[in-house]
């Protein structure tokens, strides 16, 4: 029996998340994670940190997600398995960049879905690549299980390569902001689409907000043709009502987190890029939350490479009204 249990646990080790007992406690610096997302649940006094974790069945990988739980942002228990991609989903491969948002009494998972690793690739608009898009799932609990809506299809266009969808609610209308991949476009785009009130499907047209090359701090690749990455978008409204978006691309010191601002205060923009990144030390894909002490926090992964070295770093940030500023790192490394 013990051998069987250990074998099952071993299957959970994939996409940078190590299998471990649900009751095991570890320091945040011991958790290998990319694209960390932290959801504070105040009524429980618990922070949930979500991470990708695929499983294997009959020689094939299926996407999934686990959650780590903490009361102090330093010591974490888990992981607890909270999501597995159904075998009849539109695609069933690895899950990237999971985000969980509370909305109208339920919890919604925004997950970047990929074809499984055995898929040979395909063509779209003349470019060859695997399918990728953001799909929305829901649950009554932050611990899942998260399930798909009836059509089991992505909220991003199926004929585009997209990732990193996030939720924003404005004037009681829900929207998804997401990245249209540089892999397809070379110059990645940030895009917007309105969602139905229950987040089950999109409403209206997908609209372009800006291209990655618009950021003055972005350097793009050293290749020809040059490409520019859009990644890891997250929105925040400042104390004076300014609407900001943090997002990641590559700058002079590697992977970075920049800030865009809406000149109208509305999600539709127009959007203008601030000249200086919020973080520029070879790490990124950040999101913003408030801890139980009221501090405004940024969590991101660093370093961005090599694979296996990524860790979640938490910084206190200051809301200056017009922009954001790092105050110092909370995590103890």
């Amino acid at each position: 029996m013990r051998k069987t249990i250990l074998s099952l646990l071993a299957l959970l080790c994939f996409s940078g998340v190590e299998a471990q007992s649900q009751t095991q406690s570890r320091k945040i610096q011991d958790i290998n994670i990319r694209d960390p997302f932290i959801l504070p649940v105040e009524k429980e006094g618990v922070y949930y940190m979500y991470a990708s974790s695929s499983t294997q069945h009959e020689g094939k990988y299926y996407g999934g997600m686990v959650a780590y739980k903490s009361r102090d942002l330093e010591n974490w228990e888990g992981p607890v398995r909270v999501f597995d991609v159904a075998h009849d989903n539109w695609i069933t491969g690895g899950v990237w960049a999971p985000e969980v948002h509370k909305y109208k009494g339920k919890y919604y998972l925004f997950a970047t879905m990929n074809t499984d690793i055995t898929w040979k690739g395909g063509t779209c608009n003349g470019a060859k690549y695997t399918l990728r898009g953001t799909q929305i799932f829901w649950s009554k609990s932050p611990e899942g299980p998260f399930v798909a809506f009836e059509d089991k299809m992505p909220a991003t266009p199926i004929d585009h390569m997209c990732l990193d969808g996030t939720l924003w609610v404005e004037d009681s209308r829900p929207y998804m902001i997401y990245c249209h991949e540089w892999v397809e476009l070379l110059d990645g785009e940030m895009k917007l689409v309105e969602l139905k009130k229950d987040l089950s499907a999109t409403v209206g047209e997908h609209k372009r907000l800006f291209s990655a090359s618009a950021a003055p701090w972005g350097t793009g690749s050293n290749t020809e043709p040059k490409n520019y990455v859009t990644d890891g978008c997250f929105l925040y409204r400042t104390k004076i009502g300014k609407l900001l978006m943090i997002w990641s691309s590559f700058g002079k010191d590697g992977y970075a987190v920049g800030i865009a601002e809406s000149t109208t205060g509305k999600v539709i923009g127009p959007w203008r890029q601030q000249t200086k990144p919020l973080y520029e030390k070879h790490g990124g894909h950040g999101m913003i939350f408030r801890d139980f002490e009221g501090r405004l926090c940024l969590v991101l992964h660093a370093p961005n490479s090599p694979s296996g070295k990524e860790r979640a770093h938490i910084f206190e940030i200051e809301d200056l009204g017009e922009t954001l500023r790092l105050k110092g790192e909370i995590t103890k490394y």
Side-chain angles (χ1 to χ4, degrees), residues 57-124:
H57 177 70
E58 296 181 349
K60 182 177 180 180
Y61 284 104
Y62 291 88
M65 182 181 74
V66 296
Y68 296 89
K69 299 166 66 174
S70 175
R71 294 187 180 275
D72 60 10
L73 295 175
E74 181 180 355
N75 301 286
W76 296 81
E77 294 183 354
V80 177
R81 193 149 198 91
V82 297
F83 171 64
D84 284 293
V85 178
H87 293 189
D88 63 346
N89 203 57
W90 69 290
I91 51 175
T92 59
V95 170
W96 293 358
E99 296 192 5
V100 175
H101 299 265
K102 188 176 183 182
Y103 173 74
K104 292 191 173 182
K106 295 180 181 178
Y107 295 86
Y108 291 86
L109 163 64
F110 286 62
T112 298
M113 307 294 299
N114 295 269
T115 49
D116 66 86
I117 61 173
T118 62
W119 196 76
K120 299 301 182 182
T123 58
C124 170

Side-chain angles (χ1 to χ4, degrees), residues 137-201:
F137 305 83
W138 69 276
S139 175
K140 293 181 180 179
S141 166
E143 293 190 33
F146 290 88
V147 296
F149 290 101
E150 186 175 353
D151 66 2
K152 297 184 174 65
M153 295 299 289
T156 52
I158 198 168
D159 60 342
H160 291 170
M161 197 176 189
C162 304
L163 76 170
D164 295 354
T166 192
L167 177 66
W168 179 252
V169 181
E170 187 173 283
D171 299 328
S172 300
R173 298 166 68 177
Y175 296 88
M176 183 177 73
I177 299 89
Y178 66 92
C179 304
H180 192 172
E181 274 275 55
W182 66 271
V183 179
E184 180 181 354
L185 302 175
L186 294 183
D187 192 0
E189 293 179 342
M190 202 66 70
K191 302 188 85 169
L192 167 75
V193 67
E194 187 174 350
L195 300 172
K196 287 186 176 181
K197 295 293 186 181
D198 64 356
L199 311 190
S200 63

Side-chain angles (χ1 to χ4, degrees), residues 35-51:
D35 310 340
F37 189 94
I38 293 178
L39 175 71
V41 179
E42 191 168 6
K43 67 178 181 181
E44 299 178 10
V46 172
Y47 302 98
Y48 288 83
M49 183 168 66
Y50 296 97

Side-chain angles (χ1 to χ4, degrees), residues 6-36:
L6 291 174
S7 298
L8 289 172
L9 287 174
L11 293 177
L12 298 179
C13 182
F14 189 75
S15 297
V17 178
E18 297 180 358
Q20 55 187 296
S21 165
Q22 292 187 6
T23 59
Q24 183 176 347
S25 179
R26 59 171 57 189
K27 299 294 185 181
I28 193 169
Q29 60 263 34
D30 296 325
I31 301 173
N32 173 213
I33 186 171
R34 288 187 68 87
D35 310 340

Side-chain angles (χ1 to χ4, degrees), residues 115-330:
T115 49
D116 66 86
I117 61 173
T118 62
W119 196 76
K120 299 301 182 182
T123 58
C124 170
N125 298 333
K128 186 174 183 179
Y129 47 76
T130 55
L131 292 174
R132 183 176 299 157
T134 293
Q135 186 172 350
I136 304 172
F137 305 83
W138 69 276
S139 175
K140 293 181 180 179
S141 166
E143 293 190 33
F146 290 88
V147 296
F149 290 101
E150 186 175 353
D151 66 2
K152 297 184 174 65
M153 295 299 289
T156 52
I158 198 168
D159 60 342
H160 291 170
M161 197 176 189
C162 304
L163 76 170
D164 295 354
T166 192
L167 177 66
W168 179 252
V169 181
E170 187 173 283
D171 299 328
S172 300
R173 298 166 68 177
Y175 296 88
M176 183 177 73
I177 299 89
Y178 66 92
C179 304
H180 192 172
E181 274 275 55
W182 66 271
V183 179
E184 180 181 354
L185 302 175
L186 294 183
D187 192 0
E189 293 179 342
M190 202 66 70
K191 302 188 85 169
L192 167 75
V193 67
E194 187 174 350
L195 300 172
K196 287 186 176 181
K197 295 293 186 181
D198 64 356
L199 311 190
S200 63
T202 61
V203 178
E205 297 181 356
H206 295 250
K207 301 175 181 179
R208 177 185 168 278
L209 300 181
F210 59 82
S211 294
S213 61
W217 52 267
T219 59
S221 69
N222 294 321
T223 61
E224 288 296 336
K226 187 180 285 288
N227 59 68
Y228 295 84
V229 172
T230 44
D231 192 24
C233 48
F234 189 88
L235 277 68
Y236 171 78
R237 194 172 295 280
T238 73
K239 61 185 181 182
I240 63 170
K242 182 175 285 292
L243 182 59
L244 303 180
M245 181 195 305
I246 62 170
W247 64 286
S248 287
S249 193
F250 287 91
K252 63 181 179 65
D253 295 317
Y255 200 45
V257 178
I259 303 175
E261 59 182 67
S262 170
T263 60
T264 61
K266 299 291 186 179
V267 70
I268 192 61
W271 289 85
R272 177 173 58 205
Q273 304 299 318
Q274 296 192 356
T275 57
K276 185 179 179 180
L278 177 61
Y279 183 90
E280 52 187 340
K281 300 178 181 179
H282 195 38
H285 196 114
M287 60 84 58
I288 296 169
F289 68 97
R290 284 199 182 273
D291 70 7
F292 297 137
E293 298 177 14
R295 293 179 298 184
L296 191 64
C297 299
L298 167 75
V299 61
L300 51 79
H301 74 251
N304 192 53
S305 62
S307 178
K309 296 297 185 180
E310 308 95 331
R311 297 294 187 269
H313 293 255
I314 303 173
F315 299 84
E316 184 175 2
I317 57 177
E318 186 175 3
D319 180 345
L320 300 176
E322 294 291 338
T323 189
L324 302 169
R325 182 175 66 188
L326 290 181
K327 294 183 67 176
E329 187 165 359
I330 294 172

